Amino acid sequence: MKREDLTEKLLDIKREKGWTWKHICEQIGGMSPVLVTGAILGQHKMTKPMAANAAKLFGLSKTEETMLNEVPMRGTATPMPPTDPLIYRLYELVLVNGPAMKLLIEEEFGDGIMSAIDFDMTIDRQADPKGDRVKLGMTGKFLPFKYYGATGNAQAYGFKEE
């Protein structure tokens, strides 16, 4: 069985049972709903206790449970550019605002990146009289660029210089 096959099996069971993502995430536990849902979709690894919870919930074999605990090949399920309208809007958000966000992050922190590994994300509903809004919250550890070969008093990392 390929991981994609397991994803389809899990989605079929979800549909057959009429489960919500909220229900599935509560039953599996252990991480953010974004990560649990992503793990069901094959984009994240579950811990062994989470995989055991998922196996019990979905009635999986030991092999399928073990697959949930394997490190996946991330990012392979979405074509680029994305064709789904909602995912495309997120892609567009980064295309349009990414350069400005990059400059503002570098001005505040220095030369480096925001981690997508040491990272937190929340998705919330925000009431608004004109129609409810999607509120995305993201925090990622700043990882300074390492200037390899730096000697003497040369700065070795891209932290903001004061």
Side-chain angles (χ1 to χ4, degrees):
M1 174 183 277
K2 294 182 180 176
R3 184 58 181 89
E4 297 82 26
D5 299 326
L6 178 55
T7 296
E8 286 306 314
K9 178 178 179 173
L10 296 172
L11 292 174
D12 284 347
I13 294 168
K14 177 190 179 293
R15 283 187 281 270
E16 288 169 11
K17 302 281 187 180
W19 291 338
T20 63
W21 287 112
K22 182 177 182 178
H23 169 77
I24 292 168
C25 293
E26 287 171 351
Q27 296 302 306
I28 294 172
M31 291 183 189
S32 156
V34 174
L35 287 175
V36 174
T37 303
I40 296 291
L41 296 174
Q43 296 301 303
H44 295 292
K45 170 187 183 290
M46 288 187 185
T47 63
K48 287 182 180 181
M50 290 172 64
N53 289 345
K56 181 179 176 187
L57 178 66
F58 285 95
L60 303 179
S61 70
K62 190 64 178 166
T63 300
E64 292 166 331
E65 177 181 335
T66 301
M67 287 179 79
L68 294 174
N69 182 245
E70 293 174 351
V71 177
M73 182 63 72
R74 294 177 174 101
T76 58
T78 303
M80 284 294 148
T83 55
D84 179 86
L86 196 149
I87 296 174
Y88 185 81
R89 289 298 170 255
L90 295 170
Y91 176 76
E92 179 182 46
L93 185 144
V94 172
L95 285 176
V96 173
N97 296 297
M101 294 165 67
K102 172 187 169 26
L103 293 174
L104 293 167
I105 289 169
E106 289 172 348
E107 183 175 88
E108 181 66 28
F109 293 92
D111 184 9
I113 63 170
M114 182 182 88
S115 175
I117 294 171
D118 191 342
F119 182 81
D120 293 305
M121 181 186 300
T122 58
I123 301 172
D124 297 299
R125 178 184 291 257
Q126 181 177 307
D128 189 286
K130 295 182 279 183
D132 287 357
R133 304 177 69 83
V134 177
K135 183 177 177 182
L136 300 176
M138 298 182 284
T139 64
K141 180 181 179 182
F142 178 72
L143 302 171
F145 185 85
K146 181 180 180 189
Y147 304 124
Y148 49 90
T151 60
N153 65 356
Q155 184 170 323
Y157 290 93
F159 288 113
K160 182 177 176 184
E161 296 180 71
E162 298 297 328

